[in-house]
Amino acid sequence: GDTLARLRQRERLSQLDLSLQSGVSQRHISFLETGRSNPGEDALSKLPSALNLSIAETNTLYRSAGLIGPYRPFDFQEENFAPARRAIDLLLASHEPNFGVAPLRDGRIVATNSSFERALDFIFGGDFPVETLSRCRGNLFDLTLHPQGLRRLMQNAEQIIPHTLRRLGNAAKVDQGAEDLLRRARQAYNLELYLLKREATGSELASVLTERYIIQNRPLNLIS
């Protein structure tokens, strides 16, 4: 019910509007949102189009109803995705000597160029716990949010961290892996201060942010 209400309100639809666009009665939509009725396959199949849901959001809606979503989870290694993987690899290689990384929605890093790996070695060197480095190397959100990751080198963490948390929060609405990571980060990464901070207006609107670091006593500015 909460998931359906949130998605409906995001589209600025009243229950009547959603009823007219989906063919599901307004009474049934009201009962679904309040928990008085359990959703069935027939009603659920009519809602995603009316709510302009993505594939991931459609699966999330089904999962919130206790049902299996109609779409298979995305698999980066799937054979049919091979042409796209080659294109991503070419793009990352062309970005040398600047580092490049391709993450999934939940932050898992699925492709990098050699400069990215060298950059991590340069940034952290031997001054990094092996277990922590292993986790951070595999996930862009972990790498950013972990207290011993990039966060300790940031000069404007008060801008970077709220921006990153918003992106992760948006992903968590439609991705179970991102939801699990956000829960873990909130519990283990001492983020209370940043959860209370408001994100800079420019980065919220455009998702463009200047990131400032001091690495090995040298300033490094990135446009993210």
Side-chain angles (χ1 to χ4, degrees), residues 7-18:
L7 293 170
R8 175 178 61 78
Q9 291 162 6
R10 184 189 68 179
E11 295 299 309
R12 294 182 172 84
L13 296 174
S14 66
Q15 291 181 347
L16 177 59
D17 293 331
L18 180 57

Side-chain angles (χ1 to χ4, degrees), residues 2-203:
D2 291 340
T3 302
L4 177 58
R6 173 175 57 79
L7 293 170
R8 175 178 61 78
Q9 291 162 6
R10 184 189 68 179
E11 295 299 309
R12 294 182 172 84
L13 296 174
S14 66
Q15 291 181 347
L16 177 59
D17 293 331
L18 180 57
S19 173
L20 293 173
Q21 293 191 29
S22 67
V24 179
S25 73
Q26 181 181 0
R27 183 171 182 268
H28 190 46
I29 290 172
S30 175
F31 280 16
L32 289 176
E33 291 190 0
T34 57
R36 294 179 65 184
S37 290
N38 293 320
E41 292 272 5
D42 182 59
L44 275 180
S45 67
K46 298 175 181 177
L47 293 172
S49 177
L51 291 167
N52 293 316
L53 300 188
S54 67
I55 287 175
E57 289 169 332
T58 298
N59 280 344
T60 296
L61 182 65
Y62 273 71
R63 189 169 62 244
S64 72
L67 299 172
I68 297 175
Y71 301 106
R72 290 189 300 121
F74 172 70
D75 182 0
F76 186 77
Q77 299 300 332
E78 185 177 291
E79 183 179 351
N80 289 338
F81 197 67
R85 283 199 304 275
R86 288 194 293 271
I88 291 170
D89 288 340
L90 285 171
L91 180 62
L92 291 173
S94 70
H95 209 52
E96 300 276 8
N98 301 301
F99 56 80
V101 54
L104 297 180
R105 190 194 302 270
D106 62 3
R108 280 178 295 152
I109 295 172
V110 291
T112 69
N113 60 15
S114 58
S115 291
F116 176 77
E117 300 300 331
R118 290 197 301 273
L120 288 188
D121 291 337
F122 172 77
I123 290 170
F124 299 114
D127 184 27
F128 206 80
V130 174
E131 182 180 346
T132 303
L133 180 58
S134 176
R135 166 175 283 180
C136 288
R137 264 195 129 101
N139 190 290
L140 198 58
F141 286 123
D142 275 319
L143 187 65
T144 303
L145 297 173
H146 195 289
Q148 294 303 311
L150 292 175
R151 183 170 139 196
R152 67 174 178 166
L153 306 171
M154 293 174 184
Q155 299 301 292
N156 60 331
E158 73 284 352
Q159 295 176 311
I160 299 173
I161 300 300
H163 172 85
T164 303
L165 286 171
R166 175 178 64 85
R167 289 179 55 199
L168 179 55
N170 287 341
K173 295 174 184 176
V174 296
D175 187 283
Q176 187 63 49
E179 183 180 343
D180 293 341
L181 192 152
L182 180 59
R183 187 183 306 110
R184 171 164 55 79
R186 283 177 165 171
Q187 292 173 349
Y189 289 177
N190 301 319
L191 295 167
E192 291 81 5
L193 175 65
Y194 301 104
L195 289 168
L196 297 174
K197 284 188 175 292
R198 184 177 180 84
E199 183 182 2
T201 303
S203 67

